[in-house]
Amino acid sequence: MAAPTGIKSPTRARIAARTLRTDRWWLYPTFTALVLLAFVAYATYRAFSGEHYFAEPYLTPFYSPCVTTECVEGSSHLGTWVGDWWPFSPAVLILVIPLSLRLTCYYYRKAYYRSFWMSPPACSVAEPHRRYTGETRFPLILQNIHRYALYVALAYNVLLTYDAVMAFKSPEGEWGHMGLGTLILVVNAVLLGLYSLSCHSCRHIIGGRLRNFSQHPVRYRAWGMVSVLNGRHAQLAWASLVWVAFTDFYIWMVASGTWSDPRFF
């Protein structure tokens, strides 16, 4: 039988206490777990509800692009590609794209590994697992799709930007108008775009595999800008997560007639 490679390894210090920390280290993983569970519960309900996701000219990001024949009239800005054979809500087809990026994101791995798997729950706190296998086995080996998920997510950001531009129409379809929903969709597109660009993989794609930055001044400048964003990746991850849920909630309230959308011009 192979020797343990986790916290019970014979090369580790023999400390009986799980941790010597005296601060409330458990607050961060607990809060993270609660927020993520709240988002998952909300997103799941909205994805399967199949209603109140479009209020001319606003389309919630949870249902964008709405490409099934079940989409309400006017919400299929890019046409319908999926026929009646799709048995679920249109959002179930779309949310796979941002979900694949969020689940494999380096920051979110840290967040939910600590919060749900306690691997480890915090710095200087021993994890309860006897062995450590890393991301070499199913299902964690699927984390390796992160870079490819980023490519798809960047294209998805373009679609969300398109939705924000379409929001400058009036409910009657006239251009040059703006409501509170327009502003919310614009902020949503910006935050999600910055979150994708601040990704560690995006930084490596732009500036990686270069032997000499001086021979690639454009990529070096782009790498520098993305590096600045990368330093705020955690904040952008949370801000974009909360805001996309708020954006969907706002459009839900407007589409259901609960709220009216203030028009600026």
Side-chain angles (χ1 to χ4, degrees), residues 44-143:
T44 300
Y45 170 76
R46 288 291 293 146
F48 284 94
S49 67
E51 59 181 1
H52 303 315
Y53 54 84
F54 179 70
E56 187 72 47
Y58 308 138
L59 176 63
T60 171
F62 282 14
Y63 284 76
S64 177
C66 203
V67 295
T68 74
T69 54
E70 297 297 321
C71 296
V72 299
E73 183 178 357
S75 63
S76 301
H77 296 158
L78 300 178
T80 55
W81 312 337
V82 181
D84 296 334
W85 58 268
W86 180 253
F88 306 109
S89 163
V92 179
L93 184 66
I94 299 304
L95 287 179
V96 174
I97 298 174
L99 185 63
S100 63
L101 180 65
R102 297 267 177 179
L103 282 177
T104 60
C105 167
Y106 292 120
Y107 171 73
Y108 278 113
R109 293 188 211 181
K110 167 190 170 183
Y112 66 78
Y113 283 3
R114 289 186 170 187
S115 301
F116 296 107
W117 293 349
M118 296 183 290
S119 181
C123 292
S124 301
V125 180
E127 59 181 275
H129 311 287
R130 294 186 61 85
R131 295 183 60 84
Y132 175 76
T133 59
E135 297 171 343
T136 61
R137 298 181 180 179
F138 183 85
L140 295 186
I141 196 172
L142 296 178
Q143 303 285 27

Side-chain angles (χ1 to χ4, degrees), residues 141-211:
I141 196 172
L142 296 178
Q143 303 285 27
N144 292 315
I145 71 169
H146 180 58
R147 170 172 291 197
Y148 307 104
L150 172 66
Y151 294 144
V152 180
L154 289 173
Y156 183 64
N157 291 145
V158 174
L159 294 178
L160 294 180
T161 303
Y162 174 79
D163 290 337
V165 172
M166 294 293 290
F168 282 93
K169 287 185 175 182
S170 69
E172 295 72 33
E174 300 175 344
W175 284 100
H177 298 272
M178 180 179 180
L180 179 58
T182 308
L183 180 61
I184 291 173
L185 282 169
V186 169
V187 173
N188 180 68
V190 170
L191 285 177
L192 289 174
L194 291 177
Y195 165 65
S196 298
L197 291 175
S198 67
C199 170
H200 297 74
S201 288
C202 183
R203 181 172 179 265
H204 179 73
I205 291 169
I206 292 176
R209 301 180 67 84
L210 295 180
R211 293 188 176 184

Side-chain angles (χ1 to χ4, degrees), residues 199-233:
C199 170
H200 297 74
S201 288
C202 183
R203 181 172 179 265
H204 179 73
I205 291 169
I206 292 176
R209 301 180 67 84
L210 295 180
R211 293 188 176 184
N212 194 328
F213 271 132
S214 63
Q215 297 179 2
H216 304 273
V218 175
R219 289 184 62 181
Y220 176 68
R221 184 178 294 272
W223 178 81
M225 292 187 291
V226 170
S227 295
V228 173
L229 291 176
N230 182 251
R232 296 288 183 266
H233 189 52

